[in-house]
Amino acid sequence: MATARYGRAVTLSRSAVDDAVRYFDTWLAYRQQLDRVPGVQAAVLHETDVVLSTAHGLADVEAGTPLDTYHRFRIASHSKTFTATAVVRLAERGVLRLDDPVSQWLTFLADTGLARVTLRELLSHAGGVVRDGWDGDFWQLFRPFPDHDELCRVALDAAAVLPRNERFKYSNIGYSLLGLVIEAATGEPFGRHVERELLQPLGLDHTLPDLDPSGGHLAAGYSALSYADHRVPIEHVHTGAMAAATGFASTATDVVRWAAAHFLGDERIVSDDAKRQMQRTEWEVEGTGGSGYGLGFAVATIGSRRMLGHGGGYPGHITRTFFDPVDRLAVSVLTNSIDGPALAMATALVRLVDLAAQGPGPAPDAGLARFRGRFASLWGVFDVVDLGGRLVQIDPSQPDPAAAPAHLEVIDERTLRLARTTGYGSSGERLVFEFDDHGRPTRVRGGSGTTAVPIEGVTEAMRGRDRVRVGDSF
């Protein structure tokens, strides 16, 4: 039965999440290879439990090092969620006010265009502040990231480029200045403050405010395939005075545990009242199809689910996290290439969870699992998946695996019917399975009447052929 939490019906069952997660892990493994991403690390949390922590691919291609769930990634702009939480926490304690002008804490900004910009405006990217200064080539490693003195020079160099509160204007410089505000308000370095006040209380032992000088267990980062036919490793560097905007390193498991601290009802770090302020949509982000931004958190609608979170782009790593603070669901996907599809992958989990939640729920002895598998023919790959007590056929090569699933009905112990497909599909036709002595599917005929076999069979068959000829089969 659905329960209510903060005025909204909560219907997300653990069984729906478990079904989605089981398939999501296999889908990630397939996508990692299809997209030629060196490595993908992911985690999913529901309620208080990490229900998935997984890694696929390589942490270091040149060394052949397998990626594991303890490799850290540079999570870049996820750093803003930590910085925003630290500022709001200081406001709750009365150390500062969100409507303080930034020049009250950073006096070198007095008599500049940024003097009257408030901390709240910086948190919501409404201060009209230059994004990365007038020379942002540190993002390409042409030179090191700015240190304290250079950051101050950037803030003094015509950094007010739009009127306050005119529109959402993303600014790494604005968040870097918030790091200096935290130092001014607490009298201690930014990194030390967030470690003591945020990371240690939550047991986030694999999260760092910036690069560990010793290197740690850090996944290598790689360039993109959009401008070259191979990837080149990119050196990891310290982000200097911009750590509050982009410096953090973490694992997917730590990131979803961090997201859980922002679920409504969890007041270990900040109160629910503060969370409502942070998670409220302050601005619509132009050109994004309706996404928004609060105080340190991006806001997105996936299906009918309102999600919070953040993305991160660091030279060599692309990352994305979503969480639902009401249904208490979080997903984080970390990739180690500068063109990694972390956003699409994290979105896919949310979509799969909702697809599973729409089903009738698990039925005892339904016998659905026997049909489950990944099958291939000359024309491509399809998955048969049991989600939420029903079977669906999914194309794993699509960025959104839940976009147009074919719904399947069980006819008998070896036959399914394509009950509902797209108009160009084989709606009404049957899938007939063959099984080995252990009950594992070995062959399926259907969908234009063609034969498919478990994907490993097609992979092996193609490896030994120089041409597909009439009379060949799998």
Side-chain angles (χ1 to χ4, degrees), residues 261-281:
H262 294 82
F263 290 168
L264 294 173
D266 186 329
E267 297 195 332
R268 289 174 294 168
I269 297 297
V270 291
S271 69
D272 280 353
D273 177 67
K275 291 195 196 80
R276 291 189 189 94
Q277 292 187 65
M278 297 181 74
Q279 296 173 13
R280 177 175 67 212
T281 301

Side-chain angles (χ1 to χ4, degrees), residues 253-266:
T253 300
D254 260 18
V255 174
V256 294
R257 291 170 62 211
W258 166 245
H262 294 82
F263 290 168
L264 294 173
D266 186 329

Side-chain angles (χ1 to χ4, degrees), residues 95-441:
V95 177
L96 50 72
R97 297 182 310 122
L98 297 185
D99 294 321
D100 286 342
V102 66
S103 59
Q104 178 177 326
W105 295 99
L106 306 180
T107 56
F108 71 92
L109 292 175
D111 301 322
T112 72
L114 299 183
R116 296 176 57 226
V117 174
T118 67
L119 305 187
R120 186 187 302 275
E121 290 161 356
L122 292 179
L123 289 168
S124 62
H125 296 288
V129 184
V130 68
R131 194 184 195 280
D132 289 288
W134 300 106
D135 178 3
D137 277 335
F138 49 86
W139 281 112
Q140 301 193 78
L141 274 60
F142 288 9
R143 58 188 181 84
F145 274 72
D147 59 15
H148 177 276
D149 290 345
E150 185 176 353
L151 174 61
C152 294
R153 287 195 295 271
V154 170
L156 294 170
D157 184 15
V161 297
L162 288 177
R164 297 162 53 212
N165 298 303
E166 179 177 271
R167 55 168 290 173
F168 176 88
K169 184 189 183 304
Y170 196 76
S171 175
N172 285 312
I173 298 302
Y175 260 81
S176 300
L177 293 175
L178 285 170
L180 298 187
V181 169
I182 290 171
E183 294 186 344
T186 64
E188 62 182 342
F190 168 79
R192 185 180 304 163
H193 178 77
V194 296
E195 283 182 346
R196 190 187 70 250
E197 297 293 326
L198 303 180
L199 306 183
Q200 293 174 8
L202 296 175
L204 303 182
D205 299 332
H206 300 286
T207 303
L208 302 170
D210 206 341
L211 182 68
D212 184 341
S214 67
H217 199 54
L218 188 64
Y222 291 89
S223 63
L225 293 177
S226 58
Y227 42 71
D229 60 2
H230 68 286
R231 300 188 187 277
V232 177
I234 302 174
E235 181 182 3
H236 288 291
V237 295
H238 200 279
T239 56
M242 295 186 68
T246 193
F248 275 64
S250 190
T251 64
T253 300
D254 260 18
V255 174
V256 294
R257 291 170 62 211
W258 166 245
H262 294 82
F263 290 168
L264 294 173
D266 186 329
E267 297 195 332
R268 289 174 294 168
I269 297 297
V270 291
S271 69
D272 280 353
D273 177 67
K275 291 195 196 80
R276 291 189 189 94
Q277 292 187 65
M278 297 181 74
Q279 296 173 13
R280 177 175 67 212
T281 301
E282 297 281 328
W283 291 93
E284 182 177 335
V285 181
E286 295 181 17
T288 61
S291 69
Y293 205 89
L295 302 183
F297 288 99
V299 183
T301 300
I302 302 176
S304 60
R305 190 177 293 277
R306 185 178 186 270
M307 306 295 291
L308 285 300
H310 223 289
Y314 175 87
H317 287 173
I318 298 294
T319 56
R320 186 74 208 196
T321 300
F322 289 117
F323 68 92
D324 182 334
V326 178
D327 274 355
R328 303 169 76 83
L329 173 73
V331 57
S332 185
V333 177
L334 316 181
T335 64
N336 62 341
S337 65
I338 207 165
D339 55 358
L343 172 60
M345 289 175 168
T347 302
L349 181 277
V350 180
R351 299 271 289 162
L352 287 167
V353 166
D354 283 351
L355 181 61
Q358 294 165 14
D365 303 321
L368 303 183
R370 71 192 314 264
F371 296 103
R372 197 163 63 208
R374 176 163 291 147
F375 305 94
S377 71
L378 179 66
W379 286 90
V381 179
F382 66 88
D383 293 336
V384 175
V385 187
D386 54 322
L387 290 174
R390 62 181 174 179
L391 288 172
V392 293
Q393 180 178 312
I394 286 174
D395 180 352
S397 70
Q398 296 302 308
D400 179 0
H407 294 269
L408 306 171
E409 292 178 351
V410 178
I411 302 300
D412 57 39
E413 63 182 10
R414 59 190 298 267
T415 310
L416 302 177
R417 177 175 177 272
L418 288 154
R420 190 168 79 251
T421 70
T422 65
Y424 288 102
S426 299
S427 190
E429 300 180 21
R430 296 187 175 191
L431 300 177
V432 181
F433 287 72
E434 296 177 15
F435 299 90
D436 64 18
D437 293 341
H438 300 285
R440 294 173 299 210

